[in-house]
Amino acid sequence: MNRDTVTEGGLTDHSGPTDHSGPTDHSGPTDHSGPTDHSRSRPAPAPVAEGERTMLRPLTLADGTEFTARARESRELHQPWLFPPADARAYAVWAGRLIGDEDRAGYLVHERATGALAGYVAVNNIVGGAFRCGALGYGAFAGCEGRGLMSEALGLVVAHTMDTLGLHRLEINVQPGNTPSIALARRAGFRLEGFSPDFLFIDGAWRDHERWALTQEMREAAG
């Protein structure tokens, strides 16, 4: 059975014209030859937020080569929790939806000192009206984990989505064994709201998830 695709903290669809639970198609050609080139051939969009060590900018279709190379380099780090797109076809579908759908947004995290692509954050299932909520999925790339970069970046995402996009609530759904992701959610001020057995279909099976959330009131109370 094909894998469903997830990012740390949330579900992401790489599978073509289906919903967030569809199978991944990694059937396109993948080039593993030669050293990885992390350079960009065209100017990147301006950052939406900057911290002391990281900056956050919208992802684009042109980021596919760099992103998929970093995803392949990070497989040992990511699995069994994360399955970000690792070839051009999967990336085009995934990024296209984050860019084109009104209820989603996607951001890349860059280390300011080096310009390296450190990770990514997807905001899925954005709902307006009386709810004003979104679900976060995220992941660090190899060499950038455990250094506090994603902690700062997640704080930038929280500020941007609440202060600029006007969301009131953010959610993160995490498998109980994914302790780094749970620790990141906790450091960002999210609270554990519940446990959902058989919550999402991931890597061939229904997986239990913890449900974490942050509201604007919680953020204000924390200062």
Side-chain angles (χ1 to χ4, degrees):
M1 182 177 292
N2 289 338
R3 285 193 172 107
D4 287 324
T5 56
V6 294
T7 57
E8 184 176 325
L11 188 66
T12 307
D13 179 13
H14 309 162
S15 60
T18 58
D19 64 13
H20 283 296
S21 60
T24 304
D25 181 2
H26 287 168
S27 58
T30 302
D31 181 12
H32 295 278
S33 62
T36 301
D37 180 7
H38 296 321
S39 63
R40 290 188 294 273
S41 59
R42 65 188 68 183
V48 298
E50 295 188 60
E52 182 179 345
R53 302 175 62 203
T54 62
M55 68 175 184
L56 190 73
R57 70 167 179 84
L59 62 80
T60 71
L61 292 175
D63 294 307
T65 298
E66 182 178 22
F67 187 101
T68 56
R70 295 290 280 136
R72 292 193 298 270
E73 293 169 355
S74 305
R75 277 177 175 149
E76 184 175 350
L77 171 67
H78 288 164
Q79 295 179 10
W81 313 116
L82 316 181
F83 301 93
D87 64 59
R89 180 178 176 181
Y91 179 84
V93 173
W94 178 72
R97 284 176 169 246
L98 290 172
I99 295 166
D101 289 4
E102 293 183 356
D103 62 349
R104 308 181 197 190
Y107 304 98
L108 298 183
V109 179
H110 286 269
E111 185 175 12
R112 293 186 63 183
T114 65
L117 180 56
Y120 61 96
V121 182
V123 188
N124 297 298
N125 305 324
I126 299 173
V127 179
F131 196 26
R132 288 191 288 154
C133 180
L136 302 183
Y138 46 81
F141 288 124
C144 296
E145 75 281 12
R147 298 170 49 200
L149 299 176
M150 289 302 294
S151 291
E152 181 180 270
L154 189 57
L156 295 177
V157 171
V158 167
H160 177 68
T161 53
M162 288 188 168
D163 297 342
T164 303
L165 301 186
L167 297 185
H168 170 259
R169 174 184 173 90
L170 294 170
E171 299 177 351
I172 298 173
N173 300 309
V174 191
Q175 293 183 66
N178 191 352
T179 53
S181 183
I182 291 172
L184 181 54
R186 184 179 288 112
R187 285 195 301 272
F190 286 68
R191 69 185 171 201
L192 178 62
E193 292 194 335
F195 175 83
S196 295
D198 305 327
F199 186 60
L200 294 173
F201 194 78
I202 297 168
D203 198 19
W206 290 98
R207 309 291 181 179
D208 301 342
H209 278 69
E210 294 183 1
R211 304 192 316 276
W212 293 74
L214 175 70
T215 66
Q216 179 70 8
E217 288 81 3
M218 292 168 57
R219 183 172 166 239
E220 291 172 353

